Amino acid sequence: MGLNFHLAESSALILEGPNGSGKSSLIRILSGLLRPRLGSLIWQGQDATKEPEIFQEHIHYIGHRNAIKPVLTVQENLTYWSGRDKDDTHLDMALDQFNMLPLKNTPANLLSSGQSRRLALSRLLASKRKLWLLDEPSVGLDVASIKLLEQAIAEHRSTGGSVIFATHSPIEVEAPTKLNLRDYSPLYNRALINLDDEEESWV
Amino acid sequence: MSAFLNIVSKDLRLALRQRSDLTMAVLFFILTAMLFPFGLGPEPNLLARIAPGIIWVTALLSVLLSLERIFLADYEDGSLEQLVLSRASLEIAILAKVLAHWLTTGLPLILAAPLIALLFNMDTEAMTILLFAMLLGTPSLSLIGAIAATLTLGARRGGVLIPLLVLPLYIPTLIFGVGAIDAAMNSLEAGAVIANARPHLLLLGAILLVSLLITPLAGAAALKQALE
Amino acid sequence: MSVFHRFANPNRFLKLTNTVLPWISGITVLSLLAGLYMAFFTSPPDYQQGETVRIMYIHVPSAWMAMFIYSSIAFASVCSLIWRHPLADLAAKASAPIGAGFTFLALATGSLWGKPMWGAWWVWDARLTSVLILFFLYLGHMALMNAFEEQERGNRAAAVLAIVGFVNIPIIKFSVDWWNTLHQPASVMRADGPSIDPSMLWPLLIMGLAFKFFYLVVVLIRIKSELIEAKLRKYRRAVVDNA
């Protein structure tokens, strides 16, 4: 009754489940930040559990925190993580997608929480990774901004990219696969409680 | 290499925009050193004799104050997660952050040291050796301190823990740093100054090399577990 | 690895501990009694230091243990970081306070010994100073281990610190020796003292043995109690979950 899933190209996987069911942990395991106790992560036929590096260059992870420096401007915050190119047009496009272009030279400490989130999300477009791992991407976003995010995801998938995200608020994507972690969490599923007792654990 | 410079330039820019960070360590350094004449009396010979120890101890404490800054903000705002996931190797990233820390803490201390040396009647030759010793010693302070800074991320009372972790490891740097200047001051002939201070300076260099080796490894291990 | 995993099961480890404990406890008591008897009664007083030389039979083995236990912690930390074996974490956690205790004992007896010899409770002697720094390394290790909400994070951070500290110990030792010879050329205690007489060597070695076994006994008991505590926690959680 273990958790097992496969993600094809251009697909979207939505992680659902109540608070504490392990959505964030699963995303962190997928990103390689958290080492799984058991199980493995296969990326294009290679085992990425032992060497997260081969996997990490294809993913972009956005967690609960936005990794924004308040004293830097919006543009400086963006260029730092996506590297400086000769022309900054794709950075401008990334900002534009999330309606952040007018705020380009604003110091980030003046941004509202929704605007900060949009700045974090525009990094997705600037870095051009294949798989997006988003943990509650829509937190703090208004309805119009969620639409922008949905558009961005749709465009990303149309070019062969995939996305995995955890969310509580509805984000509309085409033909999503849904995974409800409630069914796999020992906290919510009594049948699982005794499963991990076969080999007694230490801590 | 570009990732390295990218991190250094960003940290420098952050420090320059928040100037209080930059000046705090130096100010603390000068003010603390200035307290000693009040505590010990103004006798010039006594002050000159204990000056190397006072300068090194206060420099060490000033560095200590700034250590938490290296990683804490990045840890709290999520930048550290992105750093671990970015293409740059974590070891290189740590060295870059330590270099930025040294440029904003160690280097200002070195620039301020001659001022204190003057106040304590240190002669020019000893002062030259002091600068060399600090140039070799303060990077080690940043490097060793960075390990403690990574280890205490997310700890209760992390700021109080850092001194306890770091001070025992700072003792060799302190000993050889002061030793170099003492050796210079105690040499009778003018030509012997460098020769006398040399072994101490070499040992400071050796500590720097060892720290350069240990810090990226220990720091990377500590950062990874801090984010789990 | 296979040997490691044989003990990966806590129950198996507990069973083994329970069989071994009575034996090593017996060895500890016997060697301690024998060592103390020889130290107090059969060994001669020193021709220079008189009866105070008997402090040595506590002081020197304590100093040995201080270093030995720190090395053990560093070794356990390497195992913990590489193989992520929980027993290594438990061993490091159980050892640290014992090591700190022996280090403190070495410092205290050193101070007691120093009073009649040097006329002061504390002298910045190279060896004593090194032991003092070691004591602070222990304190830092223990403080870091307990500084986190999750025990596992504390264990890993402390493991990294223990290894860094262990690598630094020779550097610290060397620098303190260097510093000491610079500032105090005439040390009262000479490192290359006369070779020790067998009548004094034997009690010393037996006391060293007793201390080692004492450490083993205490560390096993501490690991055992940690394991039992973990089990209790688990049962309590199961009760809550089933309610």
Side-chain angles (χ1 to χ4, degrees):
Chain A
M1 184 120 186
L3 175 58
N4 193 0
F5 63 88
H6 175 82
L7 194 71
E9 246 183 27
S10 307
S11 56
L13 176 69
I14 305 181
L15 303 179
E16 292 172 331
N19 292 337
S21 58
K23 299 187 297 294
S24 295
S25 303
L26 180 57
I27 289 195
R28 289 175 75 83
I29 285 175
L30 291 174
S31 74
L33 284 171
L34 202 61
R35 264 210 266 176
R37 298 224 162 157
L38 291 168
S40 55
L41 178 66
I42 311 290
W43 170 258
Q44 296 181 340
Q46 280 179 291
D47 189 353
T49 330
K50 300 248 163 53
E51 285 170 79
E53 289 79 14
I54 55 171
F55 181 55
Q56 276 169 355
E57 56 186 88
H58 298 290
I59 60 160
H60 193 121
Y61 165 80
I62 292 190
H64 291 204
R65 290 166 300 182
N66 291 325
I68 288 173
K69 294 289 171 197
V71 293
L72 299 182
T73 67
V74 165
Q75 193 189 19
E76 283 169 331
N77 266 300
L78 187 63
T79 45
Y80 172 65
W81 289 116
S82 24
R84 201 170 311 232
D85 271 343
K86 273 158 215 117
D87 69 315
D88 284 348
T89 46
H90 76 286
L91 296 184
D92 282 358
M93 277 165 61
L95 286 174
D96 198 30
Q97 170 71 44
F98 286 99
N99 233 340
M100 291 293 288
L101 203 50
L103 298 170
K104 190 174 165 181
N105 294 315
T106 314
N109 53 12
L110 299 177
L111 298 182
S112 74
S113 67
Q115 287 166 333
S116 305
R117 198 65 180 160
R118 267 148 60 196
L119 170 54
L121 289 171
S122 54
R123 285 198 204 115
L124 288 171
L125 305 174
S127 69
K128 296 188 184 125
R129 304 286 176 92
K130 201 135 193 187
L131 172 61
W132 294 354
L133 298 170
L134 312 178
D135 196 356
E136 306 271 6
S138 59
V139 165
L141 295 185
D142 55 20
V143 179
S145 307
I146 292 181
K147 277 269 166 310
L148 296 176
L149 172 63
E150 288 166 358
Q151 274 173 23
I153 291 176
E155 247 166 72
H156 178 58
R157 289 175 67 193
S158 70
T159 57
S162 308
V163 56
I164 298 178
F165 61 88
T167 187
H168 285 295
S169 53
I171 299 175
E172 296 286 330
V173 295
E174 214 177 297
T177 321
K178 288 193 180 179
L179 186 64
N180 196 327
L181 290 181
R182 183 191 198 111
D183 308 333
Y184 298 95
S185 167
L187 207 61
Y188 295 94
N189 197 329
R190 289 276 159 73
L192 288 175
I193 291 176
N194 294 320
L195 261 184
D196 59 349
D197 272 355
E198 283 172 10
E199 183 79 1
E200 237 186 309
S201 60
W202 278 85
V203 191
Chain B
M1 201 59 204
S2 77
F4 182 83
L5 293 178
N6 197 14
I7 294 170
V8 175
S9 77
K10 178 193 156 211
D11 274 19
L12 286 182
R13 195 179 300 172
L14 284 174
L16 288 175
R17 296 230 177 127
Q18 300 162 315
R19 235 160 274 142
S20 59
D21 279 2
L22 206 60
T23 46
M24 191 193 64
V26 180
L27 217 58
F28 178 86
F29 179 49
I30 296 172
L31 287 176
T32 323
M34 267 178 53
L35 287 177
F36 283 89
F38 294 108
L40 297 165
E43 211 256 302
N45 283 335
L46 172 73
L47 290 181
R49 199 174 65 75
I50 59 174
I54 288 171
I55 292 174
W56 265 103
V57 170
T58 43
L60 208 132
L61 294 177
S62 316
V63 171
L64 206 59
L65 273 185
S66 62
L67 287 177
E68 202 178 14
R69 201 185 72 209
I70 310 181
F71 292 102
L72 191 61
D74 280 356
Y75 175 73
E76 283 172 348
D77 70 14
S79 302
L80 218 49
E81 291 173 349
Q82 298 296 338
L83 198 66
V84 170
L85 293 177
S86 70
R87 265 173 249 198
S89 94
L90 195 50
E91 286 80 6
I92 299 283
I94 289 168
L95 284 179
K97 291 198 74 75
V98 172
L99 176 62
H101 174 260
W102 181 77
L103 287 173
T104 54
T105 311
L107 195 61
L109 290 183
I110 296 176
L111 297 178
L115 179 70
I116 299 173
L118 277 178
L119 292 176
F120 281 82
N121 299 314
M122 214 189 242
D123 62 45
T124 359
E125 269 168 344
M127 217 193 281
T128 326
I129 298 297
L130 168 73
L131 291 182
F132 273 119
M134 286 186 81
L135 213 52
L136 283 168
T138 48
S140 307
L141 300 183
S142 293
L143 283 164
I144 298 168
I147 301 178
T150 56
L151 285 174
T152 50
L153 287 175
R156 278 176 259 137
R157 305 178 309 273
V160 193
L161 255 179
I162 289 181
L164 181 61
L165 304 190
V166 138
L167 284 180
L169 305 179
Y170 275 1
I171 287 172
T173 311
L174 176 65
I175 289 175
F176 297 126
V178 175
I181 311 161
D182 272 347
M185 294 203 309
N186 293 338
S187 47
L188 300 171
E189 310 139 53
V193 172
I194 304 285
N196 283 351
R198 220 174 96 105
H200 296 89
L201 293 177
L202 287 177
L203 287 165
L204 280 176
I207 292 177
L208 179 55
L209 287 180
V210 173
S211 318
L212 270 175
L213 201 72
I214 297 177
T215 299
L217 297 176
L223 278 188
K224 275 185 195 146
Q225 58 91 12
L227 292 172
E228 278 203 354
Chain C
M1 276 309 280
S2 60
V3 183
F4 250 47
H5 278 250
R6 266 189 67 75
F7 301 112
N9 186 310
N11 284 332
R12 204 173 291 150
F13 178 80
L14 276 180
K15 215 180 269 169
L16 186 77
T17 306
N18 287 337
T19 26
V20 176
L21 259 183
W23 292 97
I24 53 175
S25 306
I27 298 177
T28 309
V29 172
L30 286 181
S31 54
L32 202 60
L33 284 176
L36 281 177
Y37 178 79
M38 288 169 83
F40 279 113
F41 299 109
T42 62
S43 76
D46 189 76
Y47 73 100
Q48 270 182 331
Q49 302 172 23
E51 298 292 340
T52 53
V53 76
R54 300 191 198 282
I55 297 175
M56 176 183 78
Y57 301 114
I58 304 289
H59 174 75
V60 172
S62 300
W64 286 344
M65 289 311 289
M67 198 50 229
F68 174 76
I69 296 177
Y70 200 89
S71 316
S72 314
I73 292 175
F75 177 71
S77 302
V78 171
C79 295
S80 148
L81 287 180
I82 295 178
W83 294 293
R84 300 217 151 194
H85 196 290
L87 179 59
D89 281 334
L90 285 179
K93 192 181 178 208
S95 299
I98 313 172
F102 274 120
T103 317
F104 183 77
L105 196 61
L107 286 172
T109 49
S111 167
L112 285 175
W113 200 1
K115 183 62 182 168
M117 279 181 61
W118 295 319
W121 293 111
W122 183 262
V123 170
W124 290 90
D125 164 72
R127 288 189 193 185
L128 270 181
T129 310
S130 301
V131 176
L132 182 65
I133 297 171
L134 184 63
F135 185 59
F136 284 115
L137 287 177
Y138 269 116
L139 290 189
H141 182 263
M142 281 155 62
L144 189 62
M145 192 162 241
N146 297 316
F148 295 90
E149 302 297 337
E150 304 147 65
Q151 185 58 51
E152 211 170 323
R153 273 228 44 206
N155 292 343
R156 300 226 178 291
V160 175
L161 182 72
I163 296 168
V164 171
F166 188 69
V167 174
N168 269 282
I169 281 178
I171 303 175
I172 293 174
K173 182 88 181 71
F174 172 73
S175 70
V176 169
D177 286 346
W178 178 284
W179 160 80
N180 197 258
T181 46
L182 270 186
H183 293 272
Q184 295 186 333
S187 182
V188 184
M189 264 230 286
R190 280 171 51 211
D192 51 357
S195 61
I196 188 164
D197 188 80
S199 64
M200 294 169 108
L201 185 64
W202 274 109
L204 194 59
L205 289 179
I206 290 174
M207 285 301 279
L209 191 78
F211 276 29
K212 277 228 167 70
F213 273 95
F214 173 79
Y215 162 64
L216 205 58
V217 170
V218 179
V219 99
L220 284 178
I221 291 176
R222 283 177 61 89
I223 294 177
K224 212 172 114 179
S225 72
E226 285 274 343
L227 280 173
I228 292 170
E229 216 172 290
K231 262 195 179 172
L232 259 179
R233 239 179 286 137
K234 206 168 168 185
Y235 287 135
R236 269 197 209 118
R237 204 182 307 136
V239 169
V240 172
D241 284 344
N242 289 325

